[in-house]
Amino acid sequence: MAISPTPRGEDWIRVTEAGLFVEPGGFHVDPARPVDRAVITHGHADHARPNHRAVLATPETLAIMRARYGDAAGGTLEPLPYRRPITLDGVTVELVPAGHVLGSAQAVLTWRGCRVTVSGDYKRRSDPTCAPFEVVPSDVFVTEATFGLPVFHHPPAEAEIGKLLQARARNPDRAIVLGVYALGKAQRVIALLRAAGYDRPLFLHGALLALCELYREHGVNLGELVPATGRPKADFQGQIVLAPPSAIADRWARRLPDPMAAAASGWMRVRQRAKQRGVELPLIISDHADWDELVATIQEVEAAEIWVTHGREEALVRQAELLGLAARALRLVGRDEDGEDAA
Amino acid sequence: MKAFAQLMEALVFTPQRNGKLRLLVDYFTAEPDPDRGWALAALTGGLSFPAAKAGLVRGLVEQRVDPLLFRWSYDYVGDLAETVSLIWPPRPGPDRPPELSEVVDALADASRSTAPGLVERWLDALGPPERFALLKLITGGFRVGVSARLAKTALAQAFDQDLGEIEEIWHGLTPPFTELFDWLTGGAGRPVIDDRAVFRPLMLANPLEDADLDRLDPAAYRAEWKWDGIRVQLAASGGERRIYSRTGDDLSSVFPDIAEAMGFDAVLDGELLVARPAEDGDAGVTVAPFNDLQQRLNRKTVSAKMLRDFPAWVRLYDLLFDRSDDLRPLSFDRRRQHLEAWFDRVRPARMDLSALVPFDRTEDLHGLRDGARAAAIEGLMLKRGDSPYLAGRPKGPWFKWKRDPLILDTVLLYAQRGHGKRSSFYSDFTFGAWTGDRAGEGELVPVGKAYFGFTDEELARLDTWIRANTKDRFGPVRAVTPALVLEVAFDSVHRSTRHKSGVAMRFPRIHRIRWDKPAEEADRLATLEAMIVLG
């Protein structure tokens, strides 16, 4: 390890097979396989994997991991609320809101005067279900690039919810079955519907119930939610039914009357992507930063270096270079290349 | 532009045919002339603007967006118009969104130097869905799942008119179809199509299923060889000579040798081929493999050398009009008599008759079909003797019965992401065969490319396999570990200088995916070469 008065990021953080390894602290951030010590940015499965020996994360993220993995959530689970820095073997770790899902955090790591912020997944839009992203000036900023192409622009989520309500009003005989990821997207869409004044019961696929309950316990108001089971078909006419994306065009949806497949995801921006999944009503609602937000963020953090992880690294690296920023791609294994469901 | 863009958007996302039909009916009923006529032209592929092509669109976007970022975006999205509609960074300005007819009129009048400025201003003034519609007008190919036939069906429904009546006059009409809409809305009579050499909708055959064969009454059907060329309609009248493709595209300028031979007044149905004088001094000709015809297709101009090396020929099998006599209501047998008499009388150069192949029993057909190994024969056609010439693909009167395909076990070498519906899947596959004396020896050379023949489930599994076995990436192409055997079916194979392997397959498709078979047991190039049948 090179020793100098102020080290550079690469002097103390490197990519191993398990993921991003913080050498002096002896821990990984969001490792892809079980390790001794892990700092977890948020509860999505490609970041929070089970069976680490010790896990440090926000209390909300730990609650999500326990709900998903039970005893396999990890050996010891240490909660670290937002903005309460602690020191692990000389490395200061502070968790700062990332605005992605409930409990999501950027891991702000400081060692010998060098600050590296691992942002995990993030977005810059307001979200009634989680704390908003905060800009942390850093020496190195590690960014995701899920929507790292200039074709990705997320319109205001409120307008997309408007489309959903309009489609419902126009199709009183059909059920709208909306594909949403179980963690984050489901609760955000429900909260947005409530904010738009939609106060009828919402019907839910069984796989979404537990996490909605968890959000409720954390003070997020979701209104009346009803399991979409054991009812006559006709009950669902003119109703909105939420289900995991894999269920909307599958056998599960056959219980619904003439179901209209909808999906809420940043990928819905690309027509053929939506068509391919049999989506009739695409809603562009994402919990990730779109291209403009990614480009704004890498400038606002004023970092000397940008490291780009999962997604379309090459394009964001290119854009950073065009802006005169030093940037490189980190090849991390184990990330879902397209982030398809969580996006 | 807004109503048109909304229609396009809704068509993309409405999967059911009836849903699409409803959208089209509503549009044609609600929109004014000439906008609806231009929309109809766009949907049926009848719009083209020489001053504005895909290259113009690329040029514009590369002035606004970093070319590398654009290229990667295009690779990802898989469609030029959609990529540009999404990526376009508008500059605020005073521009007003144009109407569809304004766009069409201005583009038709534009020159190569004025078109870019027009398009650029419109792109700035429009939102993404309208930008998409505008760009599709320029690049063509809306891919909204609407065939010309469906568009015409919607017209018939919207105005309670007979579809056949619309089909019959269709090729005599031009955008924006004002005469057509005047007639449909009841303001004017049916447009009169004079005896110009217009395209008459073709009668098409259905593939013969086993059950059809069992039911088939041999006495009622006539058999012909199914020639491996392209279907054409020759229409000549009053000095006009037109060669139409199956879909009504005008090929006259590409085949001047045939046009020259059309010194008659008739409409004929036949197969366009490349054929050379028979070697044995016989009066007949020998039909060349399809690959030779391929040299003549997709070219704007034809050189004298082309005409000499790949002489075109038409093998005639039906007579639709003799002068102004419409023979289509007559039975096949009667039309055949007319055709033979007409041929004896006219004796056109570069043409002959497709012979009837005699047979007595259905079983005889099996032998005929299996025995047909000449390069230019694809199988058999079966036509009912008493059937009139009906536009479209009626089930029953005409069958096509292709011979069994050739099969080769190959190894997957490269995969490329598809376009359109498959834009996120690796769905275009390049496969290879072994050069050595025995399978598994030598190297694997690419012998062909296929992008269909598998189910959606298989495609998803192939996609996963390719991502897990990638050796190298070149833009949208991945080189994979040569470990997966694809059983490829194809109609024939020819010598080709365009491929490293020296051979080219005709109509290759994935027959089976051999997840179980080791790559070393795949076939050799020599096996493929042995399948080449010379004309």
Side-chain angles (χ1 to χ4, degrees), chain A residues 206-237:
Chain A
L208 307 182
L209 291 166
L211 284 166
C212 285
E213 197 47 47
L214 187 148
Y215 265 60
R216 266 201 185 129
E217 287 162 11
H218 284 82
V220 179
N221 179 21
L222 300 176
E224 189 186 346
L225 306 179
V226 187
T229 45
R231 288 168 175 275
K233 225 177 198 183
D235 276 16
F236 296 105
Q237 281 184 339

PDB file of all heavy atoms in Angstrom, chain A residues 206-237:
ATOM      1  N   GLY A 206     -49.533 -11.206  -3.583  1.00  0.00           N
ATOM      2  CA  GLY A 206     -49.026 -11.607  -2.271  1.00  0.00           C
ATOM      3  C   GLY A 206     -47.570 -11.229  -2.033  1.00  0.00           C
ATOM      4  O   GLY A 206     -47.169 -10.899  -0.910  1.00  0.00           O
ATOM      5  N   ALA A 207     -46.761 -11.234  -3.106  1.00  0.00           N
ATOM      6  CA  ALA A 207     -45.333 -10.980  -2.948  1.00  0.00           C
ATOM      7  C   ALA A 207     -45.040  -9.531  -2.543  1.00  0.00           C
ATOM      8  O   ALA A 207     -43.912  -9.196  -2.177  1.00  0.00           O
ATOM      9  CB  ALA A 207     -44.609 -11.310  -4.249  1.00  0.00           C
ATOM     10  N   LEU A 208     -46.035  -8.658  -2.636  1.00  0.00           N
ATOM     11  CA  LEU A 208     -45.777  -7.251  -2.319  1.00  0.00           C
ATOM     12  C   LEU A 208     -46.211  -6.883  -0.900  1.00  0.00           C
ATOM     13  O   LEU A 208     -45.879  -5.805  -0.400  1.00  0.00           O
ATOM     14  CB  LEU A 208     -46.526  -6.332  -3.302  1.00  0.00           C
ATOM     15  CG  LEU A 208     -46.316  -6.577  -4.795  1.00  0.00           C
ATOM     16  CD1 LEU A 208     -47.093  -5.550  -5.610  1.00  0.00           C
ATOM     17  CD2 LEU A 208     -44.834  -6.484  -5.146  1.00  0.00           C
ATOM     18  N   LEU A 209     -46.974  -7.771  -0.253  1.00  0.00           N
ATOM     19  CA  LEU A 209     -47.623  -7.393   1.007  1.00  0.00           C
ATOM     20  C   LEU A 209     -46.637  -7.104   2.140  1.00  0.00           C
ATOM     21  O   LEU A 209     -46.745  -6.086   2.829  1.00  0.00           O
ATOM     22  CB  LEU A 209     -48.607  -8.493   1.429  1.00  0.00           C
ATOM     23  CG  LEU A 209     -49.846  -8.601   0.519  1.00  0.00           C
ATOM     24  CD1 LEU A 209     -50.589  -9.911   0.769  1.00  0.00           C
ATOM     25  CD2 LEU A 209     -50.771  -7.408   0.765  1.00  0.00           C
ATOM     26  N   ALA A 210     -45.656  -8.005   2.311  1.00  0.00           N
ATOM     27  CA  ALA A 210     -44.790  -7.889   3.483  1.00  0.00           C
ATOM     28  C   ALA A 210     -44.016  -6.571   3.494  1.00  0.00           C
ATOM     29  O   ALA A 210     -43.928  -5.892   4.526  1.00  0.00           O
ATOM     30  CB  ALA A 210     -43.820  -9.071   3.522  1.00  0.00           C
ATOM     31  N   LEU A 211     -43.480  -6.185   2.339  1.00  0.00           N
ATOM     32  CA  LEU A 211     -42.678  -4.957   2.317  1.00  0.00           C
ATOM     33  C   LEU A 211     -43.544  -3.709   2.455  1.00  0.00           C
ATOM     34  O   LEU A 211     -43.115  -2.705   3.020  1.00  0.00           O
ATOM     35  CB  LEU A 211     -41.811  -4.903   1.061  1.00  0.00           C
ATOM     36  CG  LEU A 211     -40.588  -5.833   1.144  1.00  0.00           C
ATOM     37  CD1 LEU A 211     -39.946  -6.017  -0.219  1.00  0.00           C
ATOM     38  CD2 LEU A 211     -39.551  -5.295   2.134  1.00  0.00           C
ATOM     39  N   CYS A 212     -44.784  -3.769   1.961  1.00  0.00           N
ATOM     40  CA  CYS A 212     -45.689  -2.635   2.169  1.00  0.00           C
ATOM     41  C   CYS A 212     -45.955  -2.480   3.667  1.00  0.00           C
ATOM     42  O   CYS A 212     -45.992  -1.362   4.199  1.00  0.00           O
ATOM     43  CB  CYS A 212     -46.992  -2.844   1.413  1.00  0.00           C
ATOM     44  SG  CYS A 212     -46.805  -2.586  -0.357  1.00  0.00           S
ATOM     45  N   GLU A 213     -46.127  -3.617   4.353  1.00  0.00           N
ATOM     46  CA  GLU A 213     -46.354  -3.593   5.793  1.00  0.00           C
ATOM     47  C   GLU A 213     -45.137  -2.962   6.493  1.00  0.00           C
ATOM     48  O   GLU A 213     -45.273  -2.121   7.377  1.00  0.00           O
ATOM     49  CB  GLU A 213     -46.582  -5.031   6.281  1.00  0.00           C
ATOM     50  CG  GLU A 213     -47.231  -5.144   7.646  1.00  0.00           C
ATOM     51  CD  GLU A 213     -48.443  -4.233   7.818  1.00  0.00           C
ATOM     52  OE1 GLU A 213     -49.290  -4.215   6.914  1.00  0.00           O
ATOM     53  OE2 GLU A 213     -48.517  -3.524   8.843  1.00  0.00           O
ATOM     54  N   LEU A 214     -43.951  -3.360   6.032  1.00  0.00           N
ATOM     55  CA  LEU A 214     -42.718  -2.820   6.633  1.00  0.00           C
ATOM     56  C   LEU A 214     -42.624  -1.304   6.439  1.00  0.00           C
ATOM     57  O   LEU A 214     -42.258  -0.567   7.354  1.00  0.00           O
ATOM     58  CB  LEU A 214     -41.519  -3.526   6.004  1.00  0.00           C
ATOM     59  CG  LEU A 214     -40.134  -3.261   6.579  1.00  0.00           C
ATOM     60  CD1 LEU A 214     -39.280  -4.509   6.441  1.00  0.00           C
ATOM     61  CD2 LEU A 214     -39.434  -2.092   5.898  1.00  0.00           C
ATOM     62  N   TYR A 215     -42.985  -0.832   5.238  1.00  0.00           N
ATOM     63  CA  TYR A 215     -42.970   0.616   4.989  1.00  0.00           C
ATOM     64  C   TYR A 215     -43.931   1.319   5.944  1.00  0.00           C
ATOM     65  O   TYR A 215     -43.639   2.377   6.478  1.00  0.00           O
ATOM     66  CB  TYR A 215     -43.360   0.907   3.529  1.00  0.00           C
ATOM     67  CG  TYR A 215     -42.178   1.059   2.585  1.00  0.00           C
ATOM     68  CD1 TYR A 215     -41.273   0.027   2.389  1.00  0.00           C
ATOM     69  CD2 TYR A 215     -41.973   2.253   1.877  1.00  0.00           C
ATOM     70  CE1 TYR A 215     -40.205   0.167   1.514  1.00  0.00           C
ATOM     71  CE2 TYR A 215     -40.903   2.407   0.991  1.00  0.00           C
ATOM     72  CZ  TYR A 215     -40.023   1.355   0.821  1.00  0.00           C
ATOM     73  OH  TYR A 215     -38.969   1.502  -0.040  1.00  0.00           O
ATOM     74  N   ARG A 216     -45.125   0.712   6.118  1.00  0.00           N
ATOM     75  CA  ARG A 216     -46.116   1.282   7.026  1.00  0.00           C
ATOM     76  C   ARG A 216     -45.556   1.442   8.428  1.00  0.00           C
ATOM     77  O   ARG A 216     -45.752   2.467   9.065  1.00  0.00           O
ATOM     78  CB  ARG A 216     -47.328   0.364   7.079  1.00  0.00           C
ATOM     79  CG  ARG A 216     -48.381   0.759   6.118  1.00  0.00           C
ATOM     80  CD  ARG A 216     -49.683   0.152   6.587  1.00  0.00           C
ATOM     81  NE  ARG A 216     -50.700   0.432   5.613  1.00  0.00           N
ATOM     82  CZ  ARG A 216     -51.493  -0.480   5.088  1.00  0.00           C
ATOM     83  NH1 ARG A 216     -51.399  -1.745   5.481  1.00  0.00           N
ATOM     84  NH2 ARG A 216     -52.378  -0.133   4.204  1.00  0.00           N
ATOM     85  N   GLU A 217     -44.875   0.372   8.871  1.00  0.00           N
ATOM     86  CA  GLU A 217     -44.302   0.418  10.224  1.00  0.00           C
ATOM     87  C   GLU A 217     -43.282   1.540  10.333  1.00  0.00           C
ATOM     88  O   GLU A 217     -42.992   2.020  11.420  1.00  0.00           O
ATOM     89  CB  GLU A 217     -43.639  -0.925  10.572  1.00  0.00           C
ATOM     90  CG  GLU A 217     -44.646  -2.034  10.851  1.00  0.00           C
ATOM     91  CD  GLU A 217     -44.035  -3.427  10.754  1.00  0.00           C
ATOM     92  OE1 GLU A 217     -42.781  -3.526  10.678  1.00  0.00           O
ATOM     93  OE2 GLU A 217     -44.794  -4.405  10.727  1.00  0.00           O
ATOM     94  N   HIS A 218     -42.704   1.929   9.198  1.00  0.00           N
ATOM     95  CA  HIS A 218     -41.742   3.030   9.209  1.00  0.00           C
ATOM     96  C   HIS A 218     -42.417   4.368   8.911  1.00  0.00           C
ATOM     97  O   HIS A 218     -41.762   5.335   8.519  1.00  0.00           O
ATOM     98  CB  HIS A 218     -40.605   2.766   8.231  1.00  0.00           C
ATOM     99  CG  HIS A 218     -39.630   1.749   8.749  1.00  0.00           C
ATOM    100  ND1 HIS A 218     -39.852   0.392   8.646  1.00  0.00           N
ATOM    101  CD2 HIS A 218     -38.463   1.889   9.420  1.00  0.00           C
ATOM    102  CE1 HIS A 218     -38.852  -0.261   9.197  1.00  0.00           C
ATOM    103  NE2 HIS A 218     -37.987   0.616   9.681  1.00  0.00           N
ATOM    104  N   GLY A 219     -43.750   4.397   9.054  1.00  0.00           N
ATOM    105  CA  GLY A 219     -44.457   5.675   8.984  1.00  0.00           C
ATOM    106  C   GLY A 219     -44.851   6.133   7.595  1.00  0.00           C
ATOM    107  O   GLY A 219     -45.188   7.300   7.405  1.00  0.00           O
ATOM    108  N   VAL A 220     -44.809   5.247   6.570  1.00  0.00           N
ATOM    109  CA  VAL A 220     -45.233   5.647   5.231  1.00  0.00           C
ATOM    110  C   VAL A 220     -46.711   5.279   5.060  1.00  0.00           C
ATOM    111  O   VAL A 220     -47.079   4.115   5.191  1.00  0.00           O
ATOM    112  CB  VAL A 220     -44.376   4.954   4.146  1.00  0.00           C
ATOM    113  CG1 VAL A 220     -44.837   5.368   2.755  1.00  0.00           C
ATOM    114  CG2 VAL A 220     -42.900   5.283   4.347  1.00  0.00           C
ATOM    115  N   ASN A 221     -47.540   6.259   4.758  1.00  0.00           N
ATOM    116  CA  ASN A 221     -48.976   6.016   4.653  1.00  0.00           C
ATOM    117  C   ASN A 221     -49.321   5.499   3.255  1.00  0.00           C
ATOM    118  O   ASN A 221     -49.064   6.158   2.253  1.00  0.00           O
ATOM    119  CB  ASN A 221     -49.732   7.316   4.941  1.00  0.00           C
ATOM    120  CG  ASN A 221     -51.223   7.107   4.826  1.00  0.00           C
ATOM    121  OD1 ASN A 221     -51.710   5.977   4.925  1.00  0.00           O
ATOM    122  ND2 ASN A 221     -51.949   8.200   4.614  1.00  0.00           N
ATOM    123  N   LEU A 222     -49.917   4.316   3.180  1.00  0.00           N
ATOM    124  CA  LEU A 222     -50.217   3.711   1.873  1.00  0.00           C
ATOM    125  C   LEU A 222     -51.710   3.513   1.636  1.00  0.00           C
ATOM    126  O   LEU A 222     -52.102   2.977   0.604  1.00  0.00           O
ATOM    127  CB  LEU A 222     -49.488   2.372   1.739  1.00  0.00           C
ATOM    128  CG  LEU A 222     -47.951   2.426   1.836  1.00  0.00           C
ATOM    129  CD1 LEU A 222     -47.370   1.026   1.797  1.00  0.00           C
ATOM    130  CD2 LEU A 222     -47.343   3.270   0.717  1.00  0.00           C
ATOM    131  N   GLY A 223     -52.552   3.910   2.582  1.00  0.00           N
ATOM    132  CA  GLY A 223     -53.995   3.745   2.390  1.00  0.00           C
ATOM    133  C   GLY A 223     -54.418   2.290   2.454  1.00  0.00           C
ATOM    134  O   GLY A 223     -53.673   1.433   2.920  1.00  0.00           O
ATOM    135  N   GLU A 224     -55.612   2.013   1.901  1.00  0.00           N
ATOM    136  CA  GLU A 224     -56.150   0.658   2.043  1.00  0.00           C
ATOM    137  C   GLU A 224     -55.578  -0.285   0.980  1.00  0.00           C
ATOM    138  O   GLU A 224     -55.729  -0.062  -0.224  1.00  0.00           O
ATOM    139  CB  GLU A 224     -57.682   0.685   1.927  1.00  0.00           C
ATOM    140  CG  GLU A 224     -58.295  -0.652   2.295  1.00  0.00           C
ATOM    141  CD  GLU A 224     -59.806  -0.697   2.054  1.00  0.00           C
ATOM    142  OE1 GLU A 224     -60.422   0.370   1.852  1.00  0.00           O
ATOM    143  OE2 GLU A 224     -60.362  -1.802   2.057  1.00  0.00           O
ATOM    144  N   LEU A 225     -54.922  -1.360   1.452  1.00  0.00           N
ATOM    145  CA  LEU A 225     -54.336  -2.361   0.553  1.00  0.00           C
ATOM    146  C   LEU A 225     -55.024  -3.704   0.807  1.00  0.00           C
ATOM    147  O   LEU A 225     -55.199  -4.111   1.944  1.00  0.00           O
ATOM    148  CB  LEU A 225     -52.832  -2.497   0.824  1.00  0.00           C
ATOM    149  CG  LEU A 225     -52.030  -1.196   0.763  1.00  0.00           C
ATOM    150  CD1 LEU A 225     -50.562  -1.461   1.083  1.00  0.00           C
ATOM    151  CD2 LEU A 225     -52.154  -0.535  -0.601  1.00  0.00           C
ATOM    152  N   VAL A 226     -55.397  -4.379  -0.308  1.00  0.00           N
ATOM    153  CA  VAL A 226     -56.162  -5.620  -0.182  1.00  0.00           C
ATOM    154  C   VAL A 226     -55.476  -6.717  -0.991  1.00  0.00           C
ATOM    155  O   VAL A 226     -55.093  -6.472  -2.143  1.00  0.00           O
ATOM    156  CB  VAL A 226     -57.591  -5.404  -0.762  1.00  0.00           C
ATOM    157  CG1 VAL A 226     -58.463  -6.619  -0.486  1.00  0.00           C
ATOM    158  CG2 VAL A 226     -58.212  -4.146  -0.198  1.00  0.00           C
ATOM    159  N   PRO A 227     -55.310  -7.922  -0.430  1.00  0.00           N
ATOM    160  CA  PRO A 227     -54.705  -8.994  -1.232  1.00  0.00           C
ATOM    161  C   PRO A 227     -55.597  -9.332  -2.435  1.00  0.00           C
ATOM    162  O   PRO A 227     -56.821  -9.408  -2.291  1.00  0.00           O
ATOM    163  CB  PRO A 227     -54.651 -10.188  -0.268  1.00  0.00           C
ATOM    164  CG  PRO A 227     -54.842  -9.609   1.097  1.00  0.00           C
ATOM    165  CD  PRO A 227     -55.626  -8.345   0.934  1.00  0.00           C
ATOM    166  N   ALA A 228     -54.971  -9.519  -3.593  1.00  0.00           N
ATOM    167  CA  ALA A 228     -55.738  -9.791  -4.822  1.00  0.00           C
ATOM    168  C   ALA A 228     -55.990 -11.282  -4.967  1.00  0.00           C
ATOM    169  O   ALA A 228     -55.644 -11.883  -5.978  1.00  0.00           O
ATOM    170  CB  ALA A 228     -54.982  -9.253  -6.030  1.00  0.00           C
ATOM    171  N   THR A 229     -56.565 -11.871  -3.970  1.00  0.00           N
ATOM    172  CA  THR A 229     -56.810 -13.316  -4.046  1.00  0.00           C
ATOM    173  C   THR A 229     -58.227 -13.616  -3.578  1.00  0.00           C
ATOM    174  O   THR A 229     -58.843 -12.826  -2.873  1.00  0.00           O
ATOM    175  CB  THR A 229     -55.835 -14.086  -3.127  1.00  0.00           C
ATOM    176  OG1 THR A 229     -55.768 -13.414  -1.872  1.00  0.00           O
ATOM    177  CG2 THR A 229     -54.468 -14.183  -3.739  1.00  0.00           C
ATOM    178  N   GLY A 230     -58.709 -14.785  -4.004  1.00  0.00           N
ATOM    179  CA  GLY A 230     -59.971 -15.304  -3.511  1.00  0.00           C
ATOM    180  C   GLY A 230     -61.188 -14.423  -3.758  1.00  0.00           C
ATOM    181  O   GLY A 230     -62.063 -14.310  -2.901  1.00  0.00           O
ATOM    182  N   ARG A 231     -61.217 -13.753  -4.903  1.00  0.00           N
ATOM    183  CA  ARG A 231     -62.373 -12.923  -5.229  1.00  0.00           C
ATOM    184  C   ARG A 231     -62.870 -13.275  -6.610  1.00  0.00           C
ATOM    185  O   ARG A 231     -62.101 -13.696  -7.458  1.00  0.00           O
ATOM    186  CB  ARG A 231     -61.960 -11.446  -5.298  1.00  0.00           C
ATOM    187  CG  ARG A 231     -61.669 -10.859  -3.991  1.00  0.00           C
ATOM    188  CD  ARG A 231     -60.983  -9.514  -4.163  1.00  0.00           C
ATOM    189  NE  ARG A 231     -60.824  -8.945  -2.837  1.00  0.00           N
ATOM    190  CZ  ARG A 231     -61.743  -8.248  -2.220  1.00  0.00           C
ATOM    191  NH1 ARG A 231     -62.877  -7.977  -2.813  1.00  0.00           N
ATOM    192  NH2 ARG A 231     -61.533  -7.790  -0.999  1.00  0.00           N
ATOM    193  N   PRO A 232     -64.160 -13.048  -6.852  1.00  0.00           N
ATOM    194  CA  PRO A 232     -64.642 -13.263  -8.223  1.00  0.00           C
ATOM    195  C   PRO A 232     -64.002 -12.256  -9.176  1.00  0.00           C
ATOM    196  O   PRO A 232     -63.682 -11.126  -8.777  1.00  0.00           O
ATOM    197  CB  PRO A 232     -66.151 -13.045  -8.119  1.00  0.00           C
ATOM    198  CG  PRO A 232     -66.377 -12.360  -6.822  1.00  0.00           C
ATOM    199  CD  PRO A 232     -65.219 -12.643  -5.924  1.00  0.00           C
ATOM    200  N   LYS A 233     -63.811 -12.677 -10.418  1.00  0.00           N
ATOM    201  CA  LYS A 233     -63.181 -11.860 -11.452  1.00  0.00           C
ATOM    202  C   LYS A 233     -63.791 -10.462 -11.543  1.00  0.00           C
ATOM    203  O   LYS A 233     -63.082  -9.458 -11.650  1.00  0.00           O
ATOM    204  CB  LYS A 233     -63.358 -12.567 -12.791  1.00  0.00           C
ATOM    205  CG  LYS A 233     -62.127 -12.608 -13.635  1.00  0.00           C
ATOM    206  CD  LYS A 233     -62.376 -13.392 -14.917  1.00  0.00           C
ATOM    207  CE  LYS A 233     -61.040 -13.803 -15.512  1.00  0.00           C
ATOM    208  NZ  LYS A 233     -61.133 -14.492 -16.776  1.00  0.00           N
ATOM    209  N   ALA A 234     -65.095 -10.423 -11.511  1.00  0.00           N
ATOM    210  CA  ALA A 234     -65.794  -9.154 -11.749  1.00  0.00           C
ATOM    211  C   ALA A 234     -65.419  -8.084 -10.722  1.00  0.00           C
ATOM    212  O   ALA A 234     -65.500  -6.885 -11.006  1.00  0.00           O
ATOM    213  CB  ALA A 234     -67.298  -9.383 -11.752  1.00  0.00           C
ATOM    214  N   ASP A 235     -64.993  -8.533  -9.530  1.00  0.00           N
ATOM    215  CA  ASP A 235     -64.609  -7.564  -8.492  1.00  0.00           C
ATOM    216  C   ASP A 235     -63.453  -6.665  -8.929  1.00  0.00           C
ATOM    217  O   ASP A 235     -63.252  -5.590  -8.382  1.00  0.00           O
ATOM    218  CB  ASP A 235     -64.167  -8.298  -7.223  1.00  0.00           C
ATOM    219  CG  ASP A 235     -65.353  -8.679  -6.364  1.00  0.00           C
ATOM    220  OD1 ASP A 235     -66.480  -8.646  -6.891  1.00  0.00           O
ATOM    221  OD2 ASP A 235     -65.146  -8.999  -5.180  1.00  0.00           O
ATOM    222  N   PHE A 236     -62.679  -7.138  -9.902  1.00  0.00           N
ATOM    223  CA  PHE A 236     -61.479  -6.390 -10.287  1.00  0.00           C
ATOM    224  C   PHE A 236     -61.716  -5.426 -11.438  1.00  0.00           C
ATOM    225  O   PHE A 236     -60.805  -4.725 -11.865  1.00  0.00           O
ATOM    226  CB  PHE A 236     -60.357  -7.362 -10.663  1.00  0.00           C
ATOM    227  CG  PHE A 236     -59.889  -8.215  -9.515  1.00  0.00           C
ATOM    228  CD1 PHE A 236     -60.245  -9.548  -9.414  1.00  0.00           C
ATOM    229  CD2 PHE A 236     -59.090  -7.669  -8.523  1.00  0.00           C
ATOM    230  CE1 PHE A 236     -59.810 -10.330  -8.358  1.00  0.00           C
ATOM    231  CE2 PHE A 236     -58.646  -8.446  -7.466  1.00  0.00           C
ATOM    232  CZ  PHE A 236     -59.011  -9.780  -7.370  1.00  0.00           C
ATOM    233  N   GLN A 237     -62.928  -5.391 -11.967  1.00  0.00           N
ATOM    234  CA  GLN A 237     -63.200  -4.471 -13.084  1.00  0.00           C
ATOM    235  C   GLN A 237     -62.972  -3.035 -12.634  1.00  0.00           C
ATOM    236  O   GLN A 237     -63.457  -2.616 -11.588  1.00  0.00           O
ATOM    237  CB  GLN A 237     -64.633  -4.647 -13.567  1.00  0.00           C
ATOM    238  CG  GLN A 237     -64.776  -5.862 -14.465  1.00  0.00           C
ATOM    239  CD  GLN A 237     -66.158  -6.005 -15.048  1.00  0.00           C
ATOM    240  OE1 GLN A 237     -67.117  -5.449 -14.525  1.00  0.00           O
ATOM    241  NE2 GLN A 237     -66.255  -6.750 -16.138  1.00  0.00           N
TER     242      GLN A 237
END
